[in-house]
Amino acid sequence: MRLTLLSPGEMNESQRQTYDESIAGKRGKPPAPMMAWLNSPEMARHATRLGEVLRFDTIFPAKLSEIAILVTARHWTARYEWYAHKRLALQGGMDPKIIDAIRDRRTPDFDDPKAKMIYDVAKSLHEGHGVEKGLYDEAVKLLGERGVVEVIGLCGYYTLVSMTLNTFEFGLPEGEVPELA
């Protein structure tokens, strides 16, 4: 870990307010990257709020939103992010074969057309730096404009998360082995 994370007792007033707001939210605890973001308390506050919306208040159930998150974690080889969201994807009902395929950089077999579309849009965003017209039109038809906006939001936010975790070298919990090479 490249950064010393502050304990609540070491935080200034602005940092402590952001920390307290995060533990009072739907997560019940501060998200790992927020502990680094506290070096910029206003950024931490806004990023954590955005993360809570994207995690809990999109139109997608967890097993769908986690597709975009796992594609992002895999794209960035964000080991901590993968570790955290693989568990959430499984809890949300995602088929382990889909998770394994994303990990191995293979295109998963999807039964749900919305799941496939989220995967295709997320891959396009990361690998193609956007979404070409045909895919965009299909995505709007299947997911709606709000759904497309939320997939973009998930990929963008979790890119910030992945960059933070990778840059500051957040380690996995004791005894956990990284799955991403």
Side-chain angles (χ1 to χ4, degrees), residues 37-66:
W37 298 337
L38 282 173
N39 286 283
S40 176
E42 279 303 303
M43 181 192 146
R45 179 173 290 117
H46 293 291
T48 302
R49 288 176 181 167
L50 176 60
E52 188 169 295
V53 168
L54 290 168
R55 206 34 225 296
F56 300 106
D57 297 324
T58 68
I59 62 172
F60 303 118
K63 81 180 203 176
L64 293 182
S65 62
E66 291 296 335

Side-chain angles (χ1 to χ4, degrees), residues 59-60 118 121 139-140 143-154:
I59 62 172
F60 303 118
I118 291 168
V121 170
V140 169
L143 305 174
E145 288 179 337
R146 177 179 173 176
V148 173
V149 167
E150 289 179 349
V151 172
I152 295 166
L154 285 161

